[in-house]
Amino acid sequence: MSLSHRDDQKEVVNVGRRRLLTSGAAGGATLLASATNALSASKPDPAITEIQDWNRYTGDGVDARPYGTPSAFEKDVVRRNVPWLTADPIASVNFTPLHELDGIITPNGLCFERHHGGIAEIDPAEHRLMINGLVERPLVFTMEDLMRFPRVNRVYFLECAANTGMEWRGAQLNGCQFTHGMIHNVMYTGVPLRLLLEEAGVKTAGKWVLPEGADASHMTRSIPLEKALDDCIVAFKMNGEALRPEQGYPVRLVVPGWEGNMWVKWLRRIEVGDQPWHHREETSKYTDLLESGKARRFTWEMDVKSVITNPSPQAPLTHGSGHTVLSGVAWSGSGKVKRVDVSIDGGRNWQTSRLDGPSLSKSMHRFYFDFDWDGSEMFLQSRAMDENGQVQPTKNQLREARGPNSVYHNNSIQTWHVKPDGSAENVEIS
Ligand code: MTE
Ligand code: CO
């Protein structure tokens, strides 16, 4: 966007910038190599000896970007979808580019989207949240009403129960964006659901709540009252700013540690009842058919899980052997991640990685493993453990427990095969 803006205004600067854009990737690689070989470089490095356009001319003023967007060189850092996965893009999903991110927070524009009836575009002035059912006082809140309740800030991951679901029977999608990208980690601001339920006064018979979305899918899920009173949040901000329309603007439910489907977006109603409703999303969907013919249901909590994001198929090693930074993310729906072990030989030997950044309950954790790569092929794996002693299983252990037919709740160990040329591929080790 800002480039076409420059096209109109600064002809001279543009010629140079366009050239730089097309040679951006190669230029970056040269720079890295020259940084490590600076003293032995035989030819002068133009990145040092030449005065660059950005050093010669003034740039955009403060009126050019009223809402900031990333550098044009970051244009490939985007959500992506897999067209053959769903019949249309309305009831569909796209994926967070995990291999491009660091730290623990997912930027708002990169949070994966999953909606069953498209994005509802809601005028907050017209939006209402109703609490009805087994309550002393049925209530209707405007957004302004919600803003007058005491609020909290909490960082939580949201993982779709179907994340990694396509990998049950074998390695399929080539990139952690696609295998593990149905997750984001955001700081939410909102009102504890407990305060709103207390305002309405839950009757003694009330044991369950049913949040409902205002979108065309009318998303509904049964949530036990205990969880609703514990840590659920009616959130209106993400990472400090208003929720994005795709994340449920103006208000969504946050259900920490539990499967993404329960985090109802565009929240318009919460009914209190005495038993679960057994709606579509908790019967025909979001249940796992076992080999016995029985199905697991109400599998709310997301299990301990991790994935190496770098290197990975979309983020190969381009620098050759030597100092290498391996990185990834880990999370658990039951609390904090305590340890992440890493193997470069397909699970024969394990070493403990370095967790860095805030360690928050039911939030993503970042891990690093700094090592000297000898340039030979590697089978990279990570295995997370949480503070409650739960350990990520191998794929075979998971299939032994749940059979071959499941989709949801695949928290098994992922393997990337890194070849001597640094490229990486999704594989399975038996
Ligand atoms: N809420 C409504 N109203 N409509 C929906 O389609 N999708 C659910 C949940 N809440 C959905 C919804 C599913 S399956 C998931 S995984 C999460 O929202 C996705 O949240 P996100 O789009 O912020 O990533
Ligand atoms: Co989902």
Side-chain angles (χ1 to χ4, degrees):
M1 254 187 302
S2 53
L3 278 171
S4 57
H5 169 76
R6 273 200 205 99
D7 278 346
D8 307 335
Q9 297 190 358
K10 293 181 188 166
E11 268 300 310
V12 191
V13 180
N14 255 343
V15 182
R17 295 226 169 152
R18 251 190 238 117
R19 179 176 51 77
L20 276 160
L21 265 185
T22 44
S23 65
T30 318
L31 198 68
L32 230 175
S34 66
T36 42
N37 304 316
L39 293 176
S40 60
S42 52
K43 284 189 197 141
D45 181 353
I48 298 169
T49 58
E50 301 283 310
I51 296 178
Q52 309 293 337
D53 281 351
W54 51 81
N55 207 192
R56 194 191 307 262
Y57 304 106
T58 55
D60 283 344
V62 290
D63 53 351
R65 303 156 198 237
Y67 192 97
T69 51
S71 158
F73 294 95
E74 301 294 318
K75 65 179 180 351
D76 291 333
V77 183
V78 289
R79 302 186 277 221
R80 289 189 179 82
N81 63 347
V82 177
W84 56 260
L85 271 183
T86 52
D88 64 60
I90 306 292
S92 191
V93 59
N94 61 22
F95 302 89
T96 305
L98 293 174
H99 61 293
E100 299 279 10
L101 303 179
D102 217 318
I104 64 164
I105 295 293
T106 315
N108 288 345
L110 296 177
C111 289
F112 87 95
E113 304 166 59
R114 171 77 177 107
H115 17 81
H116 296 67
I119 301 168
E121 293 276 1
I122 296 179
D123 175 354
E126 301 297 320
H127 190 70
R128 304 287 181 269
L129 171 60
M130 177 194 290
I131 299 188
N132 68 340
L134 295 176
V135 290
E136 303 294 345
R137 294 167 295 280
L139 295 173
V140 175
F141 304 96
T142 62
M143 287 308 294
E144 201 175 32
D145 295 335
L146 290 178
M147 302 290 179
R148 295 174 69 189
F149 281 85
R151 51 185 99 139
V152 295
N153 295 294
R154 298 280 186 276
V155 179
Y156 292 122
F157 76 82
L158 179 166
E159 184 184 17
C160 179
N163 197 22
T164 324
M166 285 79 75
E167 306 292 311
W168 259 103
R169 296 180 191 201
Q172 187 166 211
L173 297 172
N174 225 13
C176 67
Q177 177 166 22
F178 305 111
T179 55
H180 290 75
M182 286 162 84
I183 185 165
H184 50 64
N185 200 59
V186 161
M187 176 178 278
Y188 295 96
T189 307
V191 179
L193 177 55
R194 178 178 54 82
L195 295 184
L196 303 181
L197 289 170
E198 280 171 5
E199 190 77 5
V202 174
K203 290 187 173 165
T204 327
K207 295 283 179 263
W208 292 78
V209 301
L210 184 83
E212 180 191 74
D215 57 327
S217 83
H218 304 261
M219 179 65 63
T220 46
R221 282 294 299 258
S222 306
I223 299 178
L225 183 67
E226 208 182 15
K227 176 71 174 174
L229 295 176
D230 178 18
D231 55 3
C232 290
I233 300 172
V234 173
F236 35 79
K237 294 268 200 295
M238 59 193 290
N239 294 330
E241 63 178 1
L243 295 178
R244 294 287 168 90
E246 51 271 47
Q247 262 69 48
Y249 181 85
V251 62
R252 92 174 300 167
L253 189 63
V254 168
V255 191
W258 287 20
E259 60 187 20
N261 185 257
M262 308 174 91
W263 298 47
V264 171
K265 302 192 275 190
W266 310 291
L267 183 65
R268 69 184 291 264
R269 192 170 71 91
I270 294 169
E271 185 177 334
V272 178
D274 58 358
Q275 54 189 320
W277 283 259
H278 292 114
H279 281 184
R280 189 188 90 126
E281 304 290 307
E282 48 206 14
T283 50
S284 75
K285 304 287 179 203
Y286 301 98
T287 49
D288 303 299
L289 189 59
L290 303 174
E291 268 190 302
S292 63
K294 289 192 172 176
R296 301 198 315 153
R297 66 160 192 179
F298 295 160
T299 48
W300 299 311
E301 191 173 287
M302 298 311 292
D303 302 300
V304 63
K305 188 165 168 180
S306 70
V307 66
I308 294 169
T309 54
N310 303 83
S312 62
Q314 298 158 287
L317 285 175
T318 51
H319 54 59
S321 59
H323 290 292
T324 301
V325 176
L326 179 155
S327 182
V329 281
W331 60 94
S332 166
S334 82
K336 293 180 186 175
V337 170
K338 192 173 154 207
R339 204 172 103 195
V340 181
D341 288 343
V342 166
S343 172
I344 62 171
D345 57 10
R348 284 198 189 94
N349 298 287
W350 293 93
Q351 279 170 281
T352 301
S353 74
R354 180 168 59 86
L355 287 167
D356 190 78
S359 173
L360 303 167
S361 186
K362 304 172 189 179
S363 159
M364 261 191 200
H365 293 58
R366 170 65 57 178
F367 65 88
Y368 297 100
F369 181 63
D370 309 288
F371 72 110
D372 267 328
W373 180 36
D374 65 8
S376 61
E377 70 170 357
M378 298 184 282
F379 290 90
L380 301 180
Q381 296 187 336
S382 64
R383 183 180 62 191
M385 279 155 256
D386 69 22
E387 61 181 350
N388 298 312
Q390 303 191 78
V391 183
Q392 225 182 318
T394 65
K395 264 186 150 180
N396 283 337
Q397 285 168 340
L398 196 70
R399 281 189 290 238
E400 271 162 35
R402 303 228 203 109
N405 292 325
S406 279
V407 172
Y408 304 110
H409 295 276
N410 178 357
N411 69 323
S412 62
I413 292 171
Q414 172 67 43
T415 311
W416 306 127
H417 177 200
V418 179
K419 290 160 220 169
D421 68 2
S423 64
E425 204 183 341
N426 181 7
V427 297
E428 201 172 281
I429 292 191
S430 52

